[in-house]
């Protein structure tokens, strides 16, 4: 810009989801039951991601449109490209579900595995491969994720479907950037 302010605007965002640490106290301790604390964490993570992690951002225009500041462009994050992920296979997974069958009870060590891949505010979940310690996903299954910066990280995790709305964490990759 030729006139004050010389900056057209500010754009604030997180390149990758921030790690948010919190502890529940008082009545919040009731949320420590299995599944509930995960729902609370996902709710907080989703709220931050949907408002502040690329492509979501907060744009603060400082200049005017008469000065050449395009307010719509300030609010728009442009992707660099598309990342296509293909789940292939895993080996040696263990589920840990308690099953009661009549008078006999046992642990089921096979997993009902699915993969979750996350980057920025996007999340892709594979189909579930049931009752195996060595899952192989169907050929041709894939997920597409938009990439907004060369420094964005990618997370891939495997979960064991444990019930109607719950899943147990099995393992994950290190951050991939």
């Amino acid at each position: 810009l030729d006139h004050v302010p010389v900056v057209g605007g500010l754009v604030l965002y997180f390149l990758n989801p921030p790690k948010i640490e919190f502890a529940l106290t008082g009545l919040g301790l009731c949320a420590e039951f299995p599944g509930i604390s995960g729902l609370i964490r996902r709710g907080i993570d989703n709220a931050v991601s949907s408002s502040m992690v690329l492509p979501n951002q907060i744009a603060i225009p400082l200049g005017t449109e008469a000065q050449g500041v395009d307010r719509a462009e300030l609010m728009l994050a442009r992707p660099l490209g598309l990342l296509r992920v293909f789940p292939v296979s895993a080996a040696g997974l263990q589920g840990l579900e308690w099953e009661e069958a009549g008078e006999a009870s046992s642990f089921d060590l096979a997993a009902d595995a699915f993969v979750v891949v996350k980057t920025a505010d996007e999340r892709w979940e594979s189909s579930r491969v049931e009752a195996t310690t060595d899952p192989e996903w169907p050929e041709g299954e894939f997920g597409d994720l938009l990439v907004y910066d060369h420094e964005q990280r990618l997370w891939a995790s495997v979960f064991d479907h444990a019930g109607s709305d719950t899943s147990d964490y099995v393992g994950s990759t290190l951050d991939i950037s």
Side-chain angles (χ1 to χ4, degrees):
L1 299 176
D2 295 331
H3 303 77
V4 173
V6 291
V7 175
L10 299 173
V11 178
L12 308 170
Y13 60 84
F14 291 110
L15 185 58
N16 296 299
K19 185 173 183 177
I20 299 172
E21 303 260 342
F22 66 91
L24 300 171
T25 60
L27 289 176
L29 290 175
C30 295
E32 293 296 327
F33 290 112
I36 295 177
S37 61
L39 288 173
I40 292 171
R41 174 164 299 286
R42 272 192 301 274
I44 292 170
D45 289 345
N46 288 340
V48 171
S49 290
S50 66
S51 62
M52 290 288 301
V53 177
L54 275 178
N56 305 301
Q57 54 195 18
I58 295 176
I60 305 168
L62 300 176
T64 65
E65 290 187 17
Q67 293 174 306
V69 175
D70 185 347
R71 292 173 181 242
E73 191 167 327
L74 273 178
M75 302 183 83
L76 178 65
R78 291 193 177 114
L80 294 176
L82 182 77
L83 175 68
R84 180 162 283 175
V85 294
F86 297 86
V88 178
S89 64
L93 301 183
Q94 289 188 353
L96 196 54
E97 297 172 15
W98 184 256
E99 293 186 353
E100 290 190 37
E103 294 181 19
S105 298
S106 66
F107 282 108
D108 177 13
L109 296 179
D112 298 331
F114 64 96
V115 177
V116 173
V117 180
K118 296 191 309 186
T119 185
D121 77 328
E122 295 197 65
R123 179 182 195 274
W124 175 76
E125 189 173 304
S126 74
S127 63
R128 221 172 35 230
V129 179
E130 298 192 11
T132 181
T133 58
D134 301 313
E136 292 185 17
W137 280 268
E139 189 172 326
E141 180 173 356
F142 64 87
D144 291 331
L145 303 163
L146 292 173
V147 176
Y148 292 90
D149 191 280
H150 293 289
E151 297 298 318
Q152 271 186 278
R153 292 193 172 124
L154 175 79
W155 293 269
S157 303
V158 177
F159 292 88
D160 175 21
H161 181 73
S164 60
D165 284 335
T166 62
S167 299
D168 297 323
Y169 172 79
V170 176
S172 62
T173 64
L174 298 175
D175 292 354
I176 302 169
S177 55

